Amino acid sequence: MPERMMRPEETLGERLVAWLELMGIDTVFGIPGVHTVEMYRGLGQSPIRHLTPRHEQGAGFAADGYARASGRVAAAFVITGPGLTNMLTPMAQAYADSVPMLVVSAVNARPVLGMGAGDLHEIHDSSGMAAHAAAFSHRLSDPAQLPGVLARAFAVFEGARPRPVHLEIPRDLFAVRLPAAEIVRPRPAAPPSPDGAGLDLAARWLGEAARPLILAGGGAVRGAGAVAALALRLGAPVVMTTNGRGVLAAGDPLGVPASPSLRAVRALIEASDVVLALGTEIGHTDYDMYDRGGVRVPGRLIRVDVDAEQLHRGAAPSLALTGDAGAAAEGVAARLAEGAPRPDGSARAAAAMAAAMDEIGPDYRACAAFLDTIRTALPAAPLVGDSTNAVYAGNLLHALPAPRLWFNAATGYGALGYGLPAAIGAARATGGPVVCLAGDGGVQFTWPELGLAVEERLPVILIVWNNRGYGEIGRYMDAAGVTRVGVDLHTPDFLDLARAYGAAAARLDGLAALAGLLAEAAGRAGPTVIEVEESLALGRG
């Protein structure tokens, strides 16, 4: 990646593309429009790859999946008005799950902004609207602002809690010509290091603990090696949230890849005398999805997060440290006395996992076995989910060989339609096969994105979990004594639809055939759709 570039005299649209290249962005997801043609002027001569989804929502979810699978940032280009409003749901999902993306949108020309004169795509304060789903939103009023705004964006992506950033450019600025200049990439931002005195106290508390425990969230992924090393030094079990899965690899005796919403995991937390929470917001969808009341931490709670404000939301800490989770793990480990005898937390971890497996019940155990079959067949493939039964089961209990191999929209904002476009983004980022698990209801939100996977020959394996409607909501209605309304859907022939788009397609007729279908699909250039009846996956058909 170059650190500087000499640029000739060019338009702002061309200079924008050059800046994105310099900042390390290699992928843009977007749908061109008349209002953004000048934004595209430089792309044809750039190494940045442009992928065209079938809806702006697909562009945003794809940028999200790209970032989660790779740790790198992608951009999304959208038009004025409806292009941006279509992006708000993906931005909100990424905001809730601390996922970086750069959204660049056009807006009407400066002379008509705010005039209410009925211009095409006019909306009141589009930048202010986007700011509610972004770390910040900036409307460019002068081309000279561009380098500084991008530097601010990457400071968020690299050195703070990563979230979407929105850049809005008035139409009349894109074609403005800029003089020849050298552009220079700013020094990469680094997250803050935790306070040394705080690390001293954390190390003393953890070193004296008889039953230490680590909670690892998505913010711990970047420092996974340091967290695993600290767990081993402490003899501490590691509870991994949905976005923290894989911080300890599957099979690690200290690993607890199970949701802290489960009673079994809550009991483990409550029985621990010192709890170190690394990069986890201790939020509702991870820690209290069954509305049992906030998680209790009777022992000392040490919280580490790059977001100082988040440290004081949810469970109140005994010690709050602002900084990078990996740096904190390294700092604590360096301060622990060498050779001191440590408790062995593996028995506590194993007992919690056994109790959690029993607690989730037979249907979710069948779902977990289904996921394990996928993981065994394709151990290095990201498994990207929408909100569907098997994904809920995996969020409750699923082990990974490494981080960034399990993510979905059944946490945080909870947007349906996420799975397929996010899997496309992940496949673009990794180049390898990616498995998407989506329900027959949710997948219809963004089904046309299958065309993008075909177009780009991306090895996306879409498993459609079919229960003929919104099965989870239907079961909830049944349990609440509410007559089913709006949940039993007519569903299309997904295999015929897949073939119409040019994708391969197969129906799973028996669970024993799943591994073979996955292996065959992984070797194919282009997407494959596999339909599975929920009753079959649960052992009822």
Side-chain angles (χ1 to χ4, degrees):
M1 183 172 65
E3 295 295 323
R4 57 185 65 230
M5 288 184 187
M6 284 301 305
R7 300 299 301 178
E9 179 184 325
E10 59 191 343
T11 67
L12 175 62
E14 292 170 309
R15 187 66 56 85
L16 168 68
V17 171
W19 268 109
L20 296 186
E21 182 184 339
L22 191 67
M23 301 301 279
I25 288 178
D26 66 7
T27 302
V28 169
F29 299 96
I31 302 176
V34 170
H35 286 190
T36 57
V37 164
E38 287 298 329
M39 190 156 68
Y40 279 76
R41 185 175 292 279
L43 271 177
Q45 292 74 47
S46 170
I48 295 174
R49 185 86 169 89
H50 182 275
L51 280 71
T52 307
R54 282 20 181 189
H55 191 281
E56 287 90 359
Q57 192 171 101
F61 287 145
D64 177 302
Y66 179 102
R68 295 203 209 205
S70 67
R72 305 190 305 273
V73 180
F77 282 3
V78 295
I79 62 166
T80 51
L84 180 60
T85 53
N86 285 339
M87 275 293 301
L88 289 179
T89 294
M91 288 174 66
Q93 183 71 53
Y95 185 94
D97 282 343
S98 303
V99 177
M101 70 169 71
L102 179 65
V103 177
V104 184
S105 73
V107 71
N108 294 78
R110 288 171 294 173
V112 301
L113 279 176
M115 298 302 293
D119 285 273
L120 183 66
H121 298 168
E122 186 176 59
I123 189 169
H124 175 66
D125 193 11
S126 51
S127 179
M129 176 180 64
H132 291 285
F136 71 86
S137 173
H138 181 90
R139 177 181 293 162
L140 211 68
S141 59
D142 184 326
Q145 296 172 352
L146 181 62
V149 174
L150 290 176
R152 285 176 57 204
F154 275 80
V156 170
F157 301 153
E158 298 167 343
R161 185 176 185 178
R163 278 175 160 159
V165 168
H166 172 237
L167 171 60
E168 184 171 86
I169 304 179
R171 288 183 61 197
D172 56 320
L173 282 185
F174 280 119
V176 169
R177 297 201 67 80
L178 304 181
E182 182 181 47
I183 60 175
V184 181
R185 191 196 195 287
R187 288 178 59 86
S193 295
D195 168 65
L199 289 174
D200 290 342
L201 182 57
R204 179 162 66 81
W205 285 356
L206 287 162
E208 294 169 353
R211 297 175 308 282
L213 180 72
I214 295 174
L215 305 176
V221 164
R222 187 162 49 183
V227 176
L230 176 62
L232 187 62
R233 285 284 305 276
L234 291 172
V238 179
V239 174
M240 291 162 276
T241 69
T242 297
N243 290 327
R245 296 288 168 81
V247 167
L248 261 64
D252 190 306
L254 292 171
V256 183
S259 171
S261 288
L262 293 170
R263 287 192 175 94
V265 182
R266 285 180 160 221
L268 175 65
I269 295 170
E270 291 174 11
S272 301
D273 54 354
V274 181
V275 176
L276 174 62
L278 296 170
T280 173
E281 64 179 1
I282 312 187
H284 188 95
T285 54
D286 276 319
Y287 287 80
D288 195 24
M289 64 180 291
Y290 293 113
D291 295 317
R292 292 167 175 156
V295 65
R296 290 181 61 251
V297 186
R300 286 169 166 165
L301 174 61
I302 305 164
R303 293 187 65 176
V304 181
D305 203 290
V306 293
D307 184 348
E309 188 178 2
Q310 189 61 43
L311 289 167
H312 301 283
R313 294 190 180 114
S318 308
L319 173 63
L321 298 175
T322 303
D324 177 69
E330 289 180 353
V332 169
R335 288 164 169 80
L336 291 173
E338 290 286 347
R342 299 302 312 149
D344 181 1
S346 58
R348 295 166 60 216
M353 286 299 293
M357 182 64 79
D358 182 64
E359 181 182 344
I360 65 174
D363 282 358
Y364 275 171
R365 283 196 292 272
C367 291
F370 186 86
L371 297 176
D372 287 343
T373 299
I374 297 172
R375 184 61 59 203
T376 300
L378 299 173
L383 210 171
V384 182
D386 219 303
S387 291
T388 196
N389 209 23
V391 172
Y392 301 141
N395 282 352
L396 288 177
L397 200 154
H398 182 54
L400 303 177
R404 302 193 183 279
L405 298 179
W406 172 264
F407 50 89
N408 54 75
T411 62
Y413 199 59
L416 274 173
Y418 171 88
L420 178 55
I424 289 170
R428 162 62 187 165
T430 64
V434 174
V435 178
C436 172
L437 186 57
D440 59 287
V443 78
Q444 292 184 73
F445 278 53
T446 48
W447 177 270
E449 302 305 345
L450 187 64
L452 173 58
V454 171
E455 192 170 83
E456 297 293 325
R457 298 172 64 82
L458 293 171
V460 173
I461 305 168
L462 170 60
I463 299 177
V464 179
W465 184 274
N466 197 340
N467 55 23
R468 303 289 185 267
Y470 299 124
E472 178 219 3
I473 304 167
R475 288 187 285 269
Y476 196 87
M477 284 181 163
D478 295 342
V482 175
T483 301
R484 284 191 174 216
V485 176
V487 294
D488 298 312
L489 307 180
H490 167 76
T491 53
D493 187 321
F494 290 108
L495 303 190
D496 278 355
L497 276 179
R499 294 180 185 114
Y501 270 94
R507 180 171 286 106
L508 184 66
D509 294 320
L511 294 178
L514 179 58
L517 285 176
L518 291 170
E520 184 179 345
R524 184 176 289 125
T528 301
V529 175
I530 300 172
E531 184 179 6
V532 56
E533 295 286 340
E534 181 180 67
S535 57
L536 173 69
L538 298 181
R540 298 175 187 156

